[in-house]
Amino acid sequence: MTERSRISCEQALRLLAEYLDGELSDLARHDVRHHLDTCRSCYSRAEFETRLRLEVTALARVPVPNQFEERVRTLIGHFESIPDPPPPTSADGH
Amino acid sequence: MNPGADAREWFEREVLGALPELLGTARRLAKNEADAEDLVAEAIAKAWTALGSLHDRASFRGWLFRILTNTYLSDCRSRAIRPPVESLGDDGEGAGGGEGEQFSIFERLHQPFLLWWGNQEREFFDRLLREDLEQAIDALPEIFRVIVVMADLEELSYQEIATALNIPIGTVRSRLARARSLLQRALWEHAIDAGLARPRSAPLASHRRNVHD
């Protein structure tokens, strides 16, 4: 086991956003991970920030109005094929 | 990839599968439903035309979302709206208020000398409605809204964001931090407006900023 200097709460919190974004180097990520494993309040902070991010990410998915789905199907149905398509098959999709 | 009949079927299947996320992302970029739908339709049409440049079907979804974002950014430019690619120098100190500090809801909820009733974090999330989040994001200044959408809805890497916006990675980092700080401040205001129980100061507190009757 390598002996590594431990990081402070201040350092961990400064790196927290990048840690949660998955953008830290292996070394830094390890340091933050270790700090969170051993520091209750920073762990708590990380949990909170994670939950908040999940709430934001959940906005990315919305129910699709039927009308809009129809619009997309129609749009795709009208696309012109590029020249030299593969030979036609019996299952054309329509 | 040479689009033919089976490619069209595959394309349609993939697009319809991604439609909830395409539309959700587009709504936060374009801020209103009609524009969001137009944006998605435009991106789909571009994707079909550009299908020859896609080498690997497995990366279709990421590629499609890149087209969506790039379409939005270039639409901004052509409509002569200040494009999100422009930096505001110090990353928004003009747009977001001059505070250098990160606003943190967690810190607000855990200030010393305050007494909360019950579990304050759960109270906060219980009161956090989807529409509060939507409004808070939509209210962000353009360059901050776009970067939050890219990082937290599309879940792009800093490098991908840097490339798409043509800014250095360091700027991605600082702008994203600023954007999230603004977002947290807005969400905090929503929570307070929604009646998040305000804490009382403990009797020995030297400041009474948050005392309400």
Side-chain angles (χ1 to χ4, degrees):
Chain A
M1 216 178 339
T2 345
E3 188 59 49
R4 196 193 310 283
S5 62
R6 290 168 190 195
I7 60 172
S8 66
C9 289
E10 195 192 338
Q11 288 170 306
L13 291 182
R14 210 170 32 239
L15 292 173
L16 187 61
E18 289 178 73
Y19 173 79
L20 296 176
D21 288 340
E23 294 281 342
L24 290 183
S25 67
D26 288 349
L27 239 60
R29 187 174 65 243
H30 183 279
D31 284 345
V32 173
R33 169 88 262 155
H34 177 83
H35 184 89
L36 296 180
D37 283 346
T38 55
C39 173
R40 188 196 199 122
S41 70
C42 286
Y43 179 81
S44 190
R45 170 82 176 250
E47 276 206 309
F48 179 87
E49 300 294 342
T50 298
R51 167 120 191 231
L52 194 52
R53 273 150 198 264
L54 287 174
E55 299 285 341
V56 174
T57 303
L59 298 183
R61 204 181 159 81
V62 298
V64 180
N66 286 334
Q67 237 181 348
F68 184 63
E69 180 168 325
E70 273 320 298
R71 176 180 170 185
V72 169
R73 286 181 187 274
T74 304
L75 175 68
I76 294 175
H78 288 157
F79 284 158
E80 286 176 16
S81 290
I82 306 292
D84 303 325
T89 61
S90 52
D92 203 30
H94 278 117
Chain B
M1 270 190 57
N2 211 356
D6 80 313
R8 186 195 297 264
E9 254 181 66
W10 168 81
F11 183 87
E12 185 181 63
R13 206 166 46 240
E14 290 290 316
V15 164
L16 292 177
L19 212 49
E21 275 117 347
L22 285 169
L23 196 53
T25 303
R27 280 210 189 140
R28 299 279 74 79
L29 287 172
K31 298 204 289 180
N32 77 69
E33 296 192 19
D35 286 352
E37 292 185 359
D38 288 349
L39 175 62
V40 173
E42 197 181 338
I44 291 170
K46 285 191 175 174
W48 176 258
T49 308
L51 206 47
S53 71
L54 177 69
H55 299 298
D56 170 18
R57 286 189 174 191
S59 40
F60 178 77
R61 193 175 269 228
W63 177 80
L64 181 58
F65 274 85
R66 259 198 307 284
I67 291 177
L68 179 76
T69 310
N70 288 335
T71 302
Y72 174 72
L73 295 173
S74 64
D75 281 356
C76 275
R77 277 191 279 272
S78 68
R79 279 182 289 141
I81 290 170
R82 190 216 295 270
V85 297
E86 242 179 67
S87 175
L88 285 178
D90 276 291
D91 265 315
E93 280 183 3
E99 251 181 281
E101 275 189 36
Q102 282 291 111
F103 185 95
S104 160
I105 292 172
F106 185 86
E107 281 173 20
R108 285 291 191 286
L109 293 172
H110 290 270
Q111 274 176 4
F113 309 125
L114 299 179
L115 300 174
W116 293 84
W117 306 113
N119 179 332
Q120 67 271 32
E121 285 182 32
R122 195 177 54 212
E123 286 264 332
F124 171 77
F125 281 116
D126 283 350
R127 275 183 173 70
L128 187 66
L129 300 176
R130 187 185 169 107
E131 64 206 40
D132 295 334
L133 274 162
E134 290 175 346
Q135 280 169 26
I137 290 183
D138 288 355
L140 289 174
E142 179 88 359
I143 70 168
F144 298 119
R145 189 178 79 255
V146 169
I147 205 166
V148 163
V149 170
M150 293 175 85
D152 291 341
L153 274 78
E154 296 182 72
E155 299 186 283
L156 300 178
S157 70
Y158 291 1
Q159 183 57 64
E160 287 171 322
I161 296 172
T163 303
L165 298 181
N166 199 30
I167 55 180
I169 274 201
T171 305
V172 173
R173 219 174 265 124
S174 60
R175 189 180 294 181
L176 190 51
R178 189 94 195 94
R180 286 166 171 163
S181 176
L182 291 171
L183 181 59
Q184 290 212 13
R185 179 184 292 283
L187 292 174
W188 178 253
E189 305 291 330
H190 274 280
I192 296 297
D193 288 347
L196 181 68
R198 295 189 213 246
R200 296 186 304 124
S201 285
L204 298 177
S206 55
H207 64 99
R208 295 190 159 274
R209 189 154 42 111
N210 287 316
V211 172
H212 294 271
D213 277 333

